[in-house]
Amino acid sequence: MSGKTIEITAAWIYNSGDHKEGFLTDMTEAFNGKSFQSCVEGLRDKRIAVIGAGVSNTPLIGALLQGGCAVTVCDKSPMQQLGETGRRLARMGASFRLGEDYLSGLAEEGYDVIFRTPGLLPGTPELALARERGCLVTSEMRS
């Protein structure tokens, strides 16, 4: 995946002011302008980490899991604090790296793709090391 760009745009469904499950409306790869479904299919054999289980990344995590991808959710919060969102993602098959040291050793895990939360700078040392080891590090936001 080296040298390729993945851009994610998340859209949200609102019903009566209550947030419903988010979903992704667009995922475009720089090569061949693939559809979201074909991009997810192309990620099925990859090791994927998603940093941040908040509002921004939860739709992405759900879409990847529903598409048959193996996803590790990395978040500073413990499972108890993730609440129903964490329990739902666990039921869908997500694995977790949680707690204060959630980024520790990330590069050594051998992920092919890491989707970072927009609040985590791309130059964070753990992400830089993962990138050096050949991991694609991307986000829904351009930076």
Side-chain angles (χ1 to χ4, degrees):
M1 297 193 97
S2 180
K4 296 178 173 100
T5 302
I6 297 175
E7 181 178 326
I8 306 291
T9 303
W12 304 98
I13 298 173
Y14 288 88
N15 184 4
S16 304
D18 294 327
H19 176 263
K20 291 277 188 167
E21 180 62 32
F23 70 102
L24 299 175
T25 56
D26 185 41
M27 182 175 183
T28 308
E29 287 193 81
F31 53 98
N32 300 328
K34 293 181 179 177
S35 71
F36 175 72
Q37 281 307 111
S38 62
C39 290
V40 170
E41 289 169 8
L43 292 172
R44 283 189 188 145
D45 64 341
K46 306 295 182 197
R47 294 199 62 212
I48 302 169
V50 179
I51 300 175
V55 171
S56 182
N57 278 338
T58 301
L60 170 64
I61 297 166
L64 291 170
L65 290 168
Q66 288 176 346
C69 297
V71 178
T72 300
V73 177
C74 307
D75 199 280
K76 188 182 263 186
S77 301
M79 183 60 85
Q80 180 181 4
Q81 196 170 352
L82 294 180
E84 182 51 37
T85 297
R87 290 188 294 276
R88 181 175 48 79
L89 295 174
R91 285 191 305 270
M92 293 175 73
S95 57
F96 295 85
R97 289 177 57 106
L98 303 174
E100 289 297 319
D101 296 329
Y102 73 110
L103 293 179
S104 213
L106 192 64
E108 289 79 19
E109 292 291 326
Y111 293 107
D112 298 300
V113 181
I114 296 174
F115 292 94
R116 67 175 176 81
T117 184
L120 184 63
L121 296 175
T124 300
E126 294 86 355
L127 295 181
L129 184 56
R131 220 180 267 106
E132 286 174 18
R133 294 185 176 188
C135 180
L136 171 67
V137 178
T138 189
S139 176
E140 69 179 59
M141 306 284 285
R142 291 184 193 189
S143 52

